[in-house]
Structures are given as structure tokens and as C-alpha cells.
Amino acid sequence: MAVAEPEEPKRSEGTTRRRAVRADAIRNREAIIEAASEVLAAQGTAVDVREIAGRSGVGMGTLYRHFPKKEDLIRTVLRRDFSKWADSARQAAIEARDPWAALTDFYQQALTGYARHSAIMENFALTWSAPDVAGIQQLRLVIEELRARATDVLRPGVTTDDLLLLLVSLGHAVQVTDECRPHMWNRLLHICLSGLRADHRELLPAEAAPDTNSWTRLLPGS
Amino acid sequence: MAVAEPEEPKRSEGTTRRRAVRADAIRNREAIIEAASEVLAAQGTAVDVREIAGRSGVGMGTLYRHFPKKEDLIRTVLRRDFSKWADSARQAAIEARDPWAALTDFYQQALTGYARHSAIMENFALTWSAPDVAGIQQLRLVIEELRARATDVLRPGVTTDDLLLLLVSLGHAVQVTDECRPHMWNRLLHICLSGLRADHRELLPAEAAPDTNSWTRLLPGS
Amino acid sequence: MAVAEPEEPKRSEGTTRRRAVRADAIRNREAIIEAASEVLAAQGTAVDVREIAGRSGVGMGTLYRHFPKKEDLIRTVLRRDFSKWADSARQAAIEARDPWAALTDFYQQALTGYARHSAIMENFALTWSAPDVAGIQQLRLVIEELRARATDVLRPGVTTDDLLLLLVSLGHAVQVTDECRPHMWNRLLHICLSGLRADHRELLPAEAAPDTNSWTRLLPGS
Amino acid sequence: MAVAEPEEPKRSEGTTRRRAVRADAIRNREAIIEAASEVLAAQGTAVDVREIAGRSGVGMGTLYRHFPKKEDLIRTVLRRDFSKWADSARQAAIEARDPWAALTDFYQQALTGYARHSAIMENFALTWSAPDVAGIQQLRLVIEELRARATDVLRPGVTTDDLLLLLVSLGHAVQVTDECRPHMWNRLLHICLSGLRADHRELLPAEAAPDTNSWTRLLPGS
DNA sequence: CATGAATGAGAATTCATTCAT
DNA sequence: AATGAATGAATTCTCATTCAT
């Protein structure tokens, strides 16, 4: 399920002497990514590269050999972690007993596991402006799948992007309340999911024009 | 003591005879705050102080005379901008025709105006961990007021903190989609507000225990 | 007794309209000097000029009108304080009952009063390299007087400069021990004065050649 | 005889196989310390760090890699230079032919070599208020040793602290006269040492109470 | 290839001095 | 003439990236 990683060093194929990629090089690469993942999760992308090099037990030179720019390393890690995230959340959805439960379990899992990953959340924000940056696409595919399955129980007009943006928003809520009110986001999730159910039949506004007056239709009495 | 009174912007009001604050000093201070507000809105709090000094047309020394620490300037600007934000959103709420409209208009306004302000959003996230940082309190009061007014039309159990966290989350959504899908957040807002209405009577989970199984009760058919 | 201060602003004498120096200008000048003296005594010459302006209740502009350079102000203050110092120490000497007592009382007084004045001590060090900087000359004159009076009881060969350098050294000792061992310098003073008495008849080394072997003559047994 | 310097980077000797410290790194470290020592000796601790970096031929980053704070560098240099100082002065004492000569040679050497070192003298002044700052303790030990050896020829009641303070004072005298009267301090040294000899039997004043009248007893005739 | 030392362009802050009010 | 605001060069320290060993 993990996405192909194009950066993976490959054997050179044009030379007579085709030496396999050295085992320790691969090990180093893994160690760097693992350490970077931890550090990025804890501190976000503003970390000092030394911190990562130190934790992974390699020198700066090695790190920069594998990832010529800090940016490259971050992208690689994020791609990996987004994949893991998508996988774990999807797994939760698969095990659910019905489409609605799949959706709710998906959010539950997604927000419980990786939403504390600072760098993930930091970059999840870039979903829309630079969607190819990381493995976000996978997450989107999972959501697309869930949405398709749950069409009947979902409020009409809800799009995959809506669900994705909801995940982004709630992920932020998780980050924000993590230290002081660690379960507060759960209430928000309930509220939002309620609003997603099929018993709400009001049209969602088109993206193009923010129709201010549409609110009147939301009046409870109406 | 035949001192000719010069043009005085402000006299001190106490007994201490203090010189009126110089007009150009006030102007500079305003210019600094204004420039800082723009820059902070655009780039967040990680800006270079020189950028602000440059934009406001003053030297570094002047900036540091008014705000001895970068932090001081940021706090001042944030306080001001949070206030403006709260005021504008509250104004929208006041003009609304009923409690529900007040709530929806509040969110609408709040998310339209200042949610693009990077530094505001950056610090809004600190609401929970360091709530006294800025004029966030004002915003909270406005929300508290709205909640009280709207009790009848609000889903039972919804707290002011829920509404505040919702604002934080949606504010983030606005930021995230601002460049590419500028009105997308509006759909999310509709969804969330739907979930807030009184016709949802399921209990919201207590913060203490994330009750995973409570989701079953959300099944549309149930 | 106070030394003439050439910087003192004087009436202009070439114009028809000879306006007296404004009273408040004089008052300001005094206030600045007084404040500067306090601050310089407490913190040495590294103080911020603002501190002085603030304490004297005048603006920076006024301060700089009277003393175009920080250096100028310091020089003025030092000249004044060196004078005061010389006066007070000389007074102690005058009241003494004999030449030796005059000398000891002089040191006692000199080290008790002004030796805590940071800037004085800081600049006392410049006595030799730039002797005209401040009112040190007066102090030197007092010492010269004392030395002349005490010739009979003084070890032969002791010069005024020796006595002055001794004062510099002990002044430093006072500064150094002021906080933790406030009277320790007194013991050192006793020791040094003992060495100055006429019963020591060994020749002091000429300045030109540091005669290392001269020490043998100091052996107590000899 | 040279004291061990624990800061010196060494090859690890334990089981952890650590890379030997790179030769050029050591060279740089030495160069920095050496340059810093020169600059600190000449200008005191108020130097610009860039001056040191420039002189040692390394970039700012390198300097800060070795010494994360300016303070750290200064401390290291001072420790080294105090040690050197103590060693050289003690060496002179060891070679002396008797206890009194040891004392005099010690002072002679101590004042000849390092007393021109601005930063050393600057920090030597802190002996009393913050005695642990640097390797001052070593110097104190040497003096303690000398005092013990010379008890018979020393005026009764003279303490190690007295001798230390004398060194501080004379060190200052050296600094003060270094440029214009480079050997003048030598005369002062003679005077002070005379006052230290056993043939002076007057009691030194206790630190607690400065007994002004004790001076009468010092009258040469008495 | 791995290592970690070196680099140097910033970034925040201070302070003597000047200048508009 | 007085005021205190404005100036900006100087200073300490950081960190992504390069390079010698």
C-alpha cells in the first residue's frame, strides 16, 4: 500500500561494474528518515538539521548526501508518514461494520494517531495550494472511497474535498488542544459528523459565491 | 512660567506636568503597528524585524524605542487585531435578526475578515495553552454571549469552548484554502453549523473519556 | 578650592546685547553633572547616556548641548570629583597632628571616601598615560605637599609618584574588596605604610632597570 | 608542572569508539584560543568576537562551534592564562634560595609576566566577589604555600588573602604604568615587601572594625 | 563514502549621537 | 533653548549548506 518512493537509490544500470547499493547506505537512509520523522512530529519543520543528524547517528555529510536539501528530507518523510497515516485510517474504516461507521471510525482513527504529528499538520495545510508535495493524495483516495460507500447516509452534495478539508480542520483542532484539553476535539468531531448526515438536506453553498443570505434557510424553525 | 502653549495633541491629565506625546512619534508608532499588522498577517510571526521597520519607514532604533522586544510589538499588534476582529464579528452578530442568525453571521464575518491573518491564526492556536496571550478573551466573551442568546436553538450541551474551538478549526480551514479555493470553507461552515442545531439531541462526549462506541448512535437510521 | 572649570559657559562679550547665561541653563548643567557623578560613581563610564539624562531630568538634546560628547561630560565630572576628592583628603591631612599622621590620615580618608567611585578609579589609571585628562593634578599636589612635610619620617628616595601610584593601587584594592570584604584594604594600607617609613633604608630600585638581584638585600637577616 | 586542562579535546579512551578529534579542528581551537588570549590581553573582555574570529583565521561559525557563548571562550582562555601565570610565578619561587626570596621572586615574576594581561587583571578583580570564575584558585594555592614557608620572615598576622590582595593591587599598578613608566611598579613592590617583613611587629587591623586611631602607633618615633 | 568541522549570511538588540518639534 | 524621538552601525549568536579529512 505504501506509495512508490522515486528517490530510492537504485543500482546504476549503465556501467559494467554494477555494484549493489551498499547495505549501510540503505540502513543510514532509513535511520535518517526514522529520526527525522520523530523529530518532525515533535517539533515541526523548523527543527535544526543537526538534531536529525544527531539522532540518526550519521554525520551531516551523510544526511546531505541522501537529501541535498532539508526540504528534500522533509518531503520524503512526509510522504512516508502521510502514507502510514492513510493506511492506518483506512484500516480502521475497513473493519467498520457499515459505511457510516467506516466514515466515523476513519476520522476517529485519523485524528487519534497522526494528528499530533506537527510537520504533517503543518504540511497538510498545503494540500490545496501544492497538492503534489506529499503523499496526501493517498489520504484523498481513501476518503473518496469512503464517501462513495457512504453516499446514502451522507448529506447530499458533500464532496471528497469537503471531507478532506474537514479532516484538515479537525486535525488542527487536535494539535491546538492536545496539551491542555486532549479530548476536546472529540466533541467537535461529533458536531461536524452530525452535520454531515443525510438528514440535513439544505444545499451546501457553491464555492464560487458566498451566499450570505443562504443562512436564513438554516433557521431551526424553518 | 509664561510658557506659550504649543499645539498640543494631548496633555497629561494627572498632576505630573508631562510633555504631550509628540505628533510624529504617534504617527511613527501607528505606522509601525500598521506595517507590522500587514506583515504579520501575510507572513506570520517569523518575520524579520527589519522588514517591518523598512515598511513603516523608520529605522531600527525607532522601532525598538516603541517596542523594546519583537515580542512586544507582536503582542501589541495581535491585541489590536484580535480586538478589531472581535468587534467586527460581534457587529455582524448584533445586526442579525435572531439568535441563530447572530451565530451564523458571527462565524461568517469572523471567517471572512481576519481568518487570513497568519499571525492571528498562529496565536489563536495558543488559546488553550496560553489563553492570556492576546485579546482572545474578547472574542470568547462575544461567543459566550452568542451562545447564551442561542441556547434554545443550539444542540444541548454545546459549550462556549466548543464554539471557540470550532472557530479556530474553521479559521485554519480558511487559511488553508485561501489561495486556491477561497470560498470552500463556507461549505464546511454550513456543515458544522448544521451539526450545532438543536435538532441534534445526541449527547456530546465528555472530554475525559473518548467513547469510541458512541458513534453507533450516530447512525442515520437509528 | 574647587578648580576653575574652563567649560563653564560664559557671557558673550563681543555683542551689544550681552544676555546673561540663562539661569535654567546653569541649573540644568549642574543637574546633569550631579546626576552623572552619581551614575558614574555607581556604574563606571560604561553607562548609557540616557541613564544620566533621565536622572538629571533633562532631555538628551540638552545634555548634548552642554556636553557635545559623552567624553566631555565624563571629563567634566571627573575633574570635579577629583577636586572634591583631593579637597576632602587634604582636609584630613591638615587636621593631623604631625607629618606622619597627615600622610596616614590622608590615605585613610582618600580610600574611605572616593575609592568606591567607579569612574574615578577607572580613570585614575590613566594618570600616567594621559595625566592632563582630569583633576588628578590637584591630588598630586596634595601628595607632593604631604611628602615634603614628611621627608624626615619617610624612607629615603620615596617620590611623589610613588605615593600616587600607591594610592592608585590601594584604590583598586578598595574597589575589588568593597562588596565582600569591605575593610580588608585597611590591612594592606598598614603594610604599605610600614614599608614607607624611614626605618627602611634600602634603596628603592631606579625605574630604568629592574634589578632583580636587589632582592637579596631585602632578606630579613641581612 | 602544567596543570591538566580538562577542556582539551582528547581521543576517547573508553569503549565507545569515537572518531579521533580532527587535527584541523584542534588546530582551529588552538588558534582561536591563542588569538583570543592576545586580544583579551590587549583589550580586555569587551572585545568584538569578530576580532577574535578574524585573527584566528576562522569564521564566526567555527568559533561558535567551539565556544557556544562568548563567555565560554573567555572563561577557557582565562583559565588557561591564569594557569600559565600561576605556573610561571611558582617556578620562579621554587628556584629561589630561601623562603623570603621565594616570596619576592614570586611577586617579581607574577608582575613581570602576566600583569599586563587586561582580561586577567579584569577578572582578578573578581577574586573576592566571584572567586570560582577562573583558575584563580591555583594562584591562591601557590601563595598559600609561599606564606607557609615564609612564616618566620613574615610580619605576624599576614594572611594569604593579604598577599593575594597585594598581588591584585600591584597588578593594577603594573597595568596603569605599563605604557609610560614601565618599571615604576617595581619601586612600589619594594615598599610593600618591606612592610611585610617580620621586623614590623605592629598588629594589622582586624577586618571588621577600621580602627582609625591605630595609626598613632605607626609613628616612626614610637 | 562517511564524518563532522567550517562557513557566512542573516536576525535581534543596543546605544552614542543627531534632528525635528 | 529644551525636548526626546529617530537613526543606523555595531554586536552577539544561529543554522542551512559546503568541504576537508
Side-chain angles (χ1 to χ4, degrees):
Chain A
M1 178 53 57
V3 94
E5 291 191 324
E7 294 86 356
E8 199 72 36
K10 298 210 178 96
R11 311 157 172 262
S12 74
E13 294 174 356
T15 60
T16 23
R17 208 98 95 117
R18 61 167 69 184
R19 197 137 54 88
V21 179
R22 274 169 48 163
D24 60 342
I26 295 179
R27 230 181 305 120
N28 274 338
R29 194 187 156 87
E30 293 306 323
I32 292 167
I33 293 177
E34 194 55 50
S37 177
E38 284 168 27
V39 172
L40 289 171
Q43 304 180 235
T45 58
V47 273
D48 192 328
V49 184
R50 281 152 225 264
E51 173 87 16
I52 298 173
R55 280 231 209 176
S56 46
V58 306
M60 294 293 286
T62 307
L63 194 154
Y64 270 86
R65 164 171 296 278
H66 287 288
F67 306 97
K69 298 274 170 197
K70 186 187 182 185
E71 175 64 22
D72 300 328
L73 171 56
I74 291 176
R75 196 172 38 245
T76 301
V77 170
L78 287 182
R79 202 165 292 175
R80 189 193 76 147
D81 288 353
F82 266 112
S83 283
K84 284 192 179 181
W85 189 21
D87 287 349
S88 79
R90 167 190 244 190
Q91 197 54 41
I94 285 176
E95 291 161 1
R97 112 196 58 111
D98 58 62
W100 180 257
L103 194 68
T104 59
D105 288 1
F106 166 82
Y107 275 108
Q108 188 77 45
Q109 172 67 29
L111 295 170
T112 302
Y114 280 78
R116 277 166 201 84
H117 191 306
S118 297
I120 286 260
M121 282 305 132
E122 220 175 279
N123 271 67
F124 201 9
L126 303 177
T127 310
W128 319 97
S129 51
D132 52 290
V133 167
I136 300 178
Q137 205 52 26
Q138 285 178 72
L139 208 55
R140 204 179 180 285
L141 289 177
V142 176
I143 293 178
E144 166 61 25
E145 212 178 295
L146 288 170
R147 193 197 58 73
R149 270 215 299 172
T151 306
D152 289 343
V153 293
L154 265 181
R155 175 176 184 156
V158 169
T159 66
T160 299
D161 279 351
D162 291 332
L163 296 176
L164 191 58
L165 185 57
L166 179 59
L167 184 58
V168 172
S169 299
L170 292 175
H172 189 238
V174 171
Q175 287 251 309
V176 155
T177 55
D178 189 36
E179 295 220 325
C180 309
R181 315 274 297 263
H183 299 298
M184 193 174 167
W185 59 267
N186 216 24
R187 298 167 56 84
L188 204 55
L189 173 56
H190 270 80
I191 291 171
C192 296
L193 287 174
S194 298
L196 278 176
R197 281 193 287 164
D199 41 351
H200 291 280
R201 313 220 61 96
E202 303 92 354
L203 254 80
L204 292 171
E207 277 190 47
D211 181 3
T212 310
N213 289 80
S214 69
W215 293 116
T216 58
R217 268 173 278 142
L218 281 177
L219 281 173
S222 69
Chain B
M1 194 58 64
V3 179
E5 285 303 328
E7 71 297 338
E8 19 71 39
K10 284 179 198 166
R11 269 176 194 256
S12 78
E13 297 172 354
T15 47
T16 42
R17 193 166 58 85
R18 200 178 328 200
R19 275 268 186 182
V21 183
R22 256 213 264 166
D24 60 343
I26 295 179
R27 230 182 304 119
N28 274 333
R29 196 188 153 87
E30 294 305 325
I32 291 167
I33 292 179
E34 198 52 54
S37 179
E38 283 168 26
V39 174
L40 287 172
Q43 303 178 236
T45 58
V47 271
D48 189 334
V49 183
R50 279 172 300 188
E51 171 85 14
I52 298 174
R55 279 228 208 180
S56 41
V58 305
M60 291 297 288
T62 304
L63 193 153
Y64 273 87
R65 156 176 273 272
H66 288 286
F67 305 96
K69 301 274 170 195
K70 184 186 182 185
E71 174 67 21
D72 298 330
L73 172 56
I74 290 177
R75 197 174 36 247
T76 302
V77 170
L78 285 182
R79 201 166 291 172
R80 187 193 77 148
D81 289 354
F82 264 112
S83 281
K84 283 192 179 182
W85 189 21
D87 285 348
S88 77
R90 167 188 244 185
Q91 198 54 42
I94 286 176
E95 291 161 1
R97 109 199 59 113
D98 60 62
W100 181 256
L103 195 67
T104 57
D105 288 1
F106 166 82
Y107 276 108
Q108 187 76 44
Q109 173 67 30
L111 295 170
T112 302
Y114 281 79
R116 277 165 202 83
H117 193 305
S118 296
I120 287 260
M121 283 302 135
E122 215 175 284
N123 271 65
F124 201 9
L126 303 177
T127 310
W128 318 97
S129 49
D132 51 287
V133 168
I136 299 180
Q137 204 53 26
Q138 286 179 68
L139 209 53
R140 203 177 181 286
L141 289 176
V142 176
I143 292 178
E144 167 61 24
E145 210 178 298
L146 289 171
R147 193 196 56 73
R149 270 216 299 171
T151 304
D152 289 342
V153 294
L154 266 181
R155 173 173 185 160
V158 169
T159 67
T160 300
D161 280 351
D162 291 331
L163 296 176
L164 192 57
L165 185 57
L166 178 59
L167 184 58
V168 173
S169 299
L170 291 175
H172 190 238
V174 172
Q175 288 247 307
V176 155
T177 56
D178 188 36
E179 296 219 326
C180 309
R181 315 274 297 263
H183 296 299
M184 191 174 167
W185 59 267
N186 216 24
R187 299 168 56 82
L188 203 54
L189 174 56
H190 270 80
I191 291 171
C192 296
L193 286 175
S194 299
L196 278 176
R197 282 193 286 165
D199 40 352
H200 291 280
R201 313 219 61 94
E202 302 92 355
L203 256 87
L204 292 171
E207 278 190 46
D211 181 3
T212 309
N213 288 78
S214 70
W215 292 118
T216 57
R217 266 173 279 141
L218 281 176
L219 283 171
S222 67
Chain C
M1 180 58 54
V3 93
E5 292 190 324
E7 293 86 355
E8 199 72 37
K10 300 212 178 94
R11 310 154 172 265
S12 73
E13 294 174 357
T15 60
T16 19
R17 202 94 106 109
R18 59 168 69 183
R19 198 140 52 89
V21 179
R22 274 169 48 164
D24 59 345
I26 295 178
R27 232 182 302 119
N28 275 337
R29 194 187 153 86
E30 293 306 322
I32 292 167
I33 292 177
E34 195 54 53
S37 177
E38 283 169 27
V39 172
L40 288 171
Q43 303 179 236
T45 58
V47 273
D48 192 328
V49 184
R50 281 152 226 263
E51 173 86 15
I52 298 173
R55 281 229 209 177
S56 47
V58 306
M60 293 292 287
T62 306
L63 193 154
Y64 270 85
R65 164 171 295 278
H66 288 286
F67 307 96
K69 298 275 170 195
K70 186 189 183 186
E71 175 64 21
D72 299 329
L73 171 56
I74 291 176
R75 197 173 34 246
T76 303
V77 170
L78 287 182
R79 201 164 293 177
R80 189 192 76 148
D81 288 354
F82 266 111
S83 284
K84 285 191 178 181
W85 190 22
D87 287 348
S88 79
R90 168 189 244 188
Q91 197 56 41
I94 285 175
E95 291 161 0
R97 115 194 57 111
D98 59 62
W100 180 256
L103 195 67
T104 58
D105 288 2
F106 166 82
Y107 276 108
Q108 188 78 43
Q109 172 67 29
L111 294 170
T112 302
Y114 281 77
R116 277 165 201 83
H117 192 306
S118 298
I120 287 257
M121 282 303 133
E122 219 174 281
N123 272 68
F124 201 7
L126 303 177
T127 310
W128 319 98
S129 50
D132 51 291
V133 168
I136 300 178
Q137 205 51 27
Q138 285 178 74
L139 207 54
R140 204 178 179 285
L141 289 176
V142 176
I143 292 177
E144 167 61 24
E145 211 177 297
L146 289 170
R147 192 197 57 74
R149 270 214 305 175
T151 305
D152 289 342
V153 294
L154 266 181
R155 173 176 187 157
V158 169
T159 67
T160 299
D161 280 350
D162 291 332
L163 296 176
L164 191 58
L165 185 58
L166 179 59
L167 184 58
V168 173
S169 299
L170 292 175
H172 189 238
V174 171
Q175 287 250 310
V176 156
T177 56
D178 188 36
E179 296 219 325
C180 309
R181 315 272 297 263
H183 297 299
M184 192 174 167
W185 60 266
N186 217 24
R187 298 168 56 84
L188 204 54
L189 173 57
H190 270 80
I191 292 172
C192 296
L193 286 174
S194 297
L196 278 176
R197 282 194 286 164
D199 40 350
H200 291 280
R201 312 219 62 93
E202 302 92 356
L203 263 112
L204 292 171
E207 278 189 47
D211 181 4
T212 310
N213 289 80
S214 70
W215 294 116
T216 58
R217 266 172 279 143
L218 280 177
L219 281 172
S222 67
Chain D
M1 179 54 53
V3 96
E5 290 191 325
E7 296 85 357
E8 200 70 35
K10 294 202 179 110
R11 307 162 169 263
S12 76
E13 295 172 355
T15 49
T16 42
R17 194 164 58 85
R18 199 170 338 187
R19 279 257 184 188
V21 180
R22 259 213 264 165
D24 61 342
I26 295 179
R27 229 181 304 121
N28 274 334
R29 195 188 153 89
E30 294 305 326
I32 291 168
I33 292 178
E34 198 52 54
S37 179
E38 282 168 27
V39 174
L40 288 172
Q43 303 179 237
T45 58
V47 271
D48 188 334
V49 184
R50 279 172 301 186
E51 171 84 14
I52 299 174
R55 278 228 208 180
S56 41
V58 305
M60 292 295 289
T62 304
L63 195 154
Y64 272 88
R65 154 176 273 274
H66 288 286
F67 306 96
K69 301 275 172 197
K70 185 187 181 185
E71 174 66 22
D72 297 330
L73 172 56
I74 291 176
R75 200 178 28 250
T76 302
V77 170
L78 286 182
R79 203 166 292 175
R80 188 192 78 147
D81 289 353
F82 264 111
S83 283
K84 283 191 178 181
W85 190 22
D87 286 348
S88 78
R90 167 189 244 191
Q91 197 55 42
I94 284 176
E95 291 161 1
R97 114 196 55 114
D98 60 64
W100 180 257
L103 194 67
T104 57
D105 288 2
F106 167 82
Y107 276 108
Q108 188 76 44
Q109 173 67 30
L111 294 170
T112 303
Y114 282 78
R116 277 163 200 84
H117 192 306
S118 297
I120 286 262
M121 283 302 133
E122 215 175 284
N123 271 66
F124 201 12
L126 303 177
T127 310
W128 318 98
S129 50
D132 52 286
V133 168
I136 299 179
Q137 204 53 26
Q138 288 179 64
L139 210 53
R140 206 179 178 284
L141 289 176
V142 175
I143 293 178
E144 167 61 24
E145 209 178 298
L146 289 170
R147 193 196 55 74
R149 269 215 298 170
T151 306
D152 288 342
V153 294
L154 265 182
R155 173 175 187 159
V158 169
T159 66
T160 299
D161 279 353
D162 291 331
L163 296 176
L164 192 57
L165 185 57
L166 178 59
L167 184 57
V168 172
S169 299
L170 291 175
H172 190 237
V174 172
Q175 287 248 306
V176 155
T177 56
D178 188 37
E179 296 218 327
C180 309
R181 314 273 297 263
H183 298 299
M184 192 174 169
W185 59 265
N186 216 24
R187 299 168 56 83
L188 204 54
L189 174 56
H190 270 79
I191 292 171
C192 296
L193 286 174
S194 298
L196 277 176
R197 280 192 288 166
D199 40 351
H200 291 280
R201 312 220 63 95
E202 302 92 355
L203 255 78
L204 294 171
E207 279 190 45
D211 181 4
T212 310
N213 287 81
S214 70
W215 292 118
T216 59
R217 266 174 278 142
L218 281 176
L219 283 171
S222 68

